[in-house]
Amino acid sequence: MTKIKICGLRTREDILAVNQAKPDYCGFIIEVPKSRRSVNREQVKELTAGLCREVIPVGVFVNAPANLPVQLLKEGVIAVAQLHGQEDEAYIAGIRERTEKPVIKAFSVRSAADIERALASSADYILLDQGDGGTGKCFDWSFIPEIERPFFLAGGLGKDNLEQAVRSVHPWAVDLSSSLEINGKKDGDRIQEAVSIVRRIS
Ligand SMILES: O=C(O)c1ccccc1NCC(=O)[C@H](O)[C@H](O)COP(=O)(O)O
């Protein structure tokens, strides 16, 4: 069954919405000043405290000092670290050794070579995305070959292309953010609709 991650949660209303819709994962953009979805470590602690147990909390980081994801993983505030910057193999290895928790490494796809680079990653999961993350835009899925390892597909996914993405690209998980927002805020009905689409077709 294809898994679904809802990313960029910021408020208690967002938590109530995912508790109801029950995606497999939810994501928090943590201390990324350039993102309007950024939350600080205290906020993410408060938010995840209200999260139901079935939904796995993922911390999304961009070139953060490694102590930030390590501390939050060790405290159990997040269960998975998603690295969305230029973190290298040594950084990934360090987090895994220090925490024994899973790591998702995101790659921006502009060519088939970017996919090759992603496939060589030692991370537990790779995430194929457009641009810097949270852009609401798709990349060209025709770059994606048959992939044996589990991967997240992200970038511009929404109700109009979710079914096509699952059926044609066969990702292990889909990751959505922008299309689930109205005026910059997550919308509970859109979250529910996206989860229902994925549950129905997988
Ligand atoms: O969402 C952000 O603002 C963001 C900022 C910096 C790094 C990553 C970010 N988002 C990561 C995600 O996992 C998004 O869900 C993913 O890129 C898909 O986004 P969208 O195209 O908006 O559905």
Side-chain angles (χ1 to χ4, degrees), residues 4 10 25 38 53 77 86 101 137 151:
I4 177 165
R10 290 186 304 125
Y25 298 90
S38 183
R53 287 160 48 117
V77 175
Q86 283 72 48
K101 299 284 193 236
K137 294 181 186 155
F151 71 99

Side-chain angles (χ1 to χ4, degrees), residues 160-181:
D160 297 331
N161 62 3
L162 208 39
E163 178 157 2
Q164 190 198 353
V166 171
R167 292 197 193 283
S168 65
V169 181
H170 309 298
W172 183 78
V174 288
D175 183 347
L176 293 81
S177 184
S178 302
S179 73
L180 308 180
E181 294 174 349

